[in-house]
Amino acid sequence: MTVSYTLKVADAKFGGFSKLLFRWKGSIYKLLYREFMVFCLLYSFISLIYRCVLNMDQQETFGRLAHHCNKFAKLIPMSFVLGFYVTQAFQRWWGQYTSFPLPDNLMMVVSGNVHGTDERGRMLRRTLMRYANLSSVLILRSISTRVSRRFPKLEDIVEAGFMTAEELKKLNHLCSDFNKYWMPLAWFANLASNARKEGRVKDDIALRLLMDELNNYRSKCSMLFHYDWISIPLVYTQVVTVAVYSFFTFSLIGRQFVKPEKPEEKVVDLYVPIFTLLEFFFYAGWLKVGELIINPFGEDDDDFETNQLIDRNIQVSMLAVDDMHQNLPPLEKDKYWVDKGPSYPSATMKAVFMGSTHDMRWRTETYL
């Protein structure tokens, strides 16, 4: 389930974000704790070997190796590589969110332009919206593990009421090597044309409006399919992963406490490498963020609630084109029929902004 914390940060207060640091669900701690524990265990194991197993000569050799690893690990451009990758992954994540096919615009056009309160009119409107929702179910079933788990077979979609048995036969009988999520939208277009011939759609302008909204809906379904098909290039994902893993592999040796080369040097022996662990938390956590948002159609805590959106879409679209079609409340004079606007108590009334130059006072000067 998508983790929402908007209410917690509605007001900017002292330490406002700090209250979010102790949440587990959807947190970086839940994503990263396994890798963090492995890193700590490996670091402790190497540290124990250095302190308890190696002799003096071996410790000197290990110390030179540690200095060498620490020196060259700093050459890996971690901030640049990770920052650019996560930026691209976030833009891709937001693009997928904005491409989600919502039927709201389409259902308003169908409700307002496909007329008839008889059974035939109701059936036309409901079938049109069912086709639109069926198309989104088919595309989401192809890209979302949650939807695929809910509808493992096409027969399950029939059982859920998004498609009839006859429509399933037509879908299966069409020979195509490619994804057939577009078929219900083709049925929508032809059914809308039939409604125009029957006079249910009053004119060609209304039909054109239906087709325009249908094409917008289809383009979003298509974009979701292409986002699933075309990923961020694999080579870049591999480069980022190798960079992070190799950096911390070298850090396991390079960040160990070793005896100073010169006896007079004073070095603090930190048994717990606090700053190295913080660095691991930041960089490895950054990589985990990219891993989380690169595909939001999985089953992570912050992935999109595709099943909930499917249920919402079918419900509101059927309500809009059936229950609410021509079901209007009676017209009445509103509260401000005579009064020109809402009145506020004087204690809460604020000055109305009229523009930044509204209160300027020009000074007239006389120049000799």
Side-chain angles (χ1 to χ4, degrees), residues 179-196:
N179 195 309
K180 294 185 280 190
Y181 70 90
W182 50 269
M183 275 191 66
L185 300 180
W187 296 341
F188 183 110
N190 285 278
L191 187 58
S193 297
N194 291 340
R196 172 71 182 99

Side-chain angles (χ1 to χ4, degrees), residues 231-248:
S231 303
I232 292 178
L234 177 62
V235 289
Y236 193 38
T237 303
Q238 290 174 334
V239 166
V240 174
T241 305
V242 170
V244 174
Y245 283 18
S246 59
F247 177 82
F248 287 108

Side-chain angles (χ1 to χ4, degrees), residues 270-330:
L270 294 177
Y271 289 90
V272 179
I274 298 175
F275 298 105
T276 300
L277 294 180
L278 284 176
E279 195 172 29
F280 180 87
F281 186 83
F282 297 146
Y283 283 145
W286 214 354
L287 180 66
K288 278 294 182 180
V289 170
E291 182 182 335
L292 174 70
I293 64 179
I294 196 171
N295 181 13
F297 292 101
E299 299 185 60
D300 294 321
D301 288 342
D302 258 323
D303 285 341
F304 298 156
E305 286 290 342
T306 46
N307 282 323
Q308 185 176 350
L309 283 168
I310 287 174
D311 295 338
R312 177 262 176 197
N313 290 345
I314 188 66
Q315 184 184 83
V316 299
S317 57
M318 291 304 178
L319 287 174
V321 301
D322 193 6
D323 297 57
M324 295 184 63
H325 179 71
Q326 299 300 325
N327 185 12
L328 301 173

Side-chain angles (χ1 to χ4, degrees), residues 77-342:
M78 294 286 290
S79 297
F80 171 76
V81 171
L82 272 172
F84 185 76
Y85 182 80
V86 173
T87 299
Q88 297 302 313
F90 179 79
Q91 291 176 351
R92 174 185 172 86
W93 175 85
W94 184 251
Q96 290 178 86
Y97 173 73
T98 55
S99 297
F100 201 93
L102 297 175
D104 298 51
N105 291 344
L106 187 59
M107 71 188 187
M108 296 303 176
V109 175
V110 170
S111 181
N113 291 280
V114 181
H115 302 282
T117 56
D118 58 341
E119 184 177 345
R120 174 66 177 173
R122 288 185 60 198
M123 189 178 299
L124 281 172
R125 289 189 300 274
R126 291 179 65 91
T127 303
L128 287 171
M129 291 314 303
R130 185 169 56 79
Y131 286 161
N133 282 277
L134 172 59
S135 180
S136 67
V137 170
L138 291 176
I139 191 61
L140 289 173
R141 179 176 174 268
S142 302
I143 66 174
S144 171
T145 55
R146 290 180 177 178
V147 180
S148 181
R149 191 186 303 276
R150 179 182 178 182
F151 303 116
K153 298 181 294 183
L154 290 176
E155 288 76 9
D156 297 315
I157 301 178
V158 175
E159 185 177 351
F162 290 94
M163 180 167 50
T164 66
E166 289 299 319
E167 291 164 355
L168 177 60
K169 290 179 181 179
K170 285 188 174 293
L171 191 71
N172 289 331
H173 288 169
L174 182 69
C175 296
S176 177
D177 297 327
F178 303 99
N179 195 309
K180 294 185 280 190
Y181 70 90
W182 50 269
M183 275 191 66
L185 300 180
W187 296 341
F188 183 110
N190 285 278
L191 187 58
S193 297
N194 291 340
R196 172 71 182 99
K197 294 176 182 177
E198 296 176 15
R200 304 282 180 171
V201 178
K202 296 301 182 184
D203 50 40
D204 292 337
I205 296 176
L207 180 61
R208 173 63 184 272
L209 184 60
L210 277 170
M211 294 304 178
D212 287 344
E213 288 299 333
L214 174 66
N215 283 326
N216 290 334
Y217 190 85
R218 181 209 55 79
S219 66
K220 291 193 172 186
C221 292
S222 178
M223 281 301 300
L224 283 185
F225 180 75
H226 285 85
Y227 269 119
D228 185 63
W229 182 19
I230 308 297
S231 303
I232 292 178
L234 177 62
V235 289
Y236 193 38
T237 303
Q238 290 174 334
V239 166
V240 174
T241 305
V242 170
V244 174
Y245 283 18
S246 59
F247 177 82
F248 287 108
T249 299
F250 294 134
S251 295
L252 287 172
I253 300 175
R255 301 296 177 85
Q256 293 286 341
F257 168 80
V258 293
K259 295 178 180 179
E261 297 179 357
K262 300 179 180 179
E264 63 272 12
E265 292 183 7
K266 301 295 183 180
V267 180
V268 179
D269 186 0
L270 294 177
Y271 289 90
V272 179
I274 298 175
F275 298 105
T276 300
L277 294 180
L278 284 176
E279 195 172 29
F280 180 87
F281 186 83
F282 297 146
Y283 283 145
W286 214 354
L287 180 66
K288 278 294 182 180
V289 170
E291 182 182 335
L292 174 70
I293 64 179
I294 196 171
N295 181 13
F297 292 101
E299 299 185 60
D300 294 321
D301 288 342
D302 258 323
D303 285 341
F304 298 156
E305 286 290 342
T306 46
N307 282 323
Q308 185 176 350
L309 283 168
I310 287 174
D311 295 338
R312 177 262 176 197
N313 290 345
I314 188 66
Q315 184 184 83
V316 299
S317 57
M318 291 304 178
L319 287 174
V321 301
D322 193 6
D323 297 57
M324 295 184 63
H325 179 71
Q326 299 300 325
N327 185 12
L328 301 173
L331 292 179
E332 297 179 5
K333 292 182 179 180
D334 58 80
K335 181 178 179 180
Y336 308 109
W337 184 266
V338 177
D339 297 333
K340 297 305 180 184

